[in-house]
Amino acid sequence: MSINKIIKEKLPVTSQTLPHPNTTITHCKYTNYEYCTQCKEHKLTKCNEKLIFQSYQQVSNVRWHLFFVCGKNHKVIRWVIIDNKSVVIGNVKN
């Protein structure tokens, strides 16, 4: 399910314009340094798994948090701000 569908179904959106879908919002961007035994050095690895919706929580009058988990069990939080004209989506650093 796309993040725009989740916002339409779960959050109080009336006539606000939704953002264009983009992969940085729907995929996990967890980064980790792992030791490579062949190179004998630490390398940066990035997760790019698709996010699975779990729940949501209202933080303030206009701000909501959407909780996701990816296929590698990374927990991801996306914040959503709904004002009179538009909807803005962002990331919470995990």
Side-chain angles (χ1 to χ4, degrees):
M1 182 184 294
S2 73
I3 196 160
N4 284 350
K5 265 190 175 179
I6 294 168
I7 291 170
K8 284 180 187 176
E9 290 177 8
K10 308 283 184 187
L11 303 182
V13 176
T14 54
S15 63
Q16 291 92 341
T17 57
L18 293 170
H20 296 291
N22 105 26
T23 58
T24 60
I25 293 174
T26 59
H27 287 75
C28 181
K29 296 298 174 196
Y30 179 79
T31 56
N32 188 20
Y33 283 98
E34 292 182 356
Y35 185 73
C36 178
T37 55
Q38 294 174 349
C39 304
K40 299 194 188 259
E41 62 183 33
H42 285 84
K43 290 196 171 189
L44 180 70
T45 59
K46 292 183 180 180
C47 178
N48 197 28
E49 296 281 325
K50 192 156 177 82
L51 295 176
I52 302 164
F53 177 69
Q54 285 188 322
S55 64
Y56 64 96
Q57 177 184 14
Q58 186 172 7
V59 180
S60 69
N61 292 350
V62 295
R63 188 176 173 121
W64 299 76
H65 282 178
L66 302 175
F67 299 96
F68 296 89
V69 68
C70 78
K72 294 184 179 176
N73 211 22
H74 300 131
K75 293 182 179 12
V76 178
I77 302 171
R78 300 282 190 248
W79 55 260
V80 177
I81 296 177
I82 302 172
D83 64 5
N84 294 336
K85 295 181 183 178
S86 63
V87 176
V88 180
I89 303 171
N91 302 332
V92 174
K93 182 142 176 119
N94 292 3

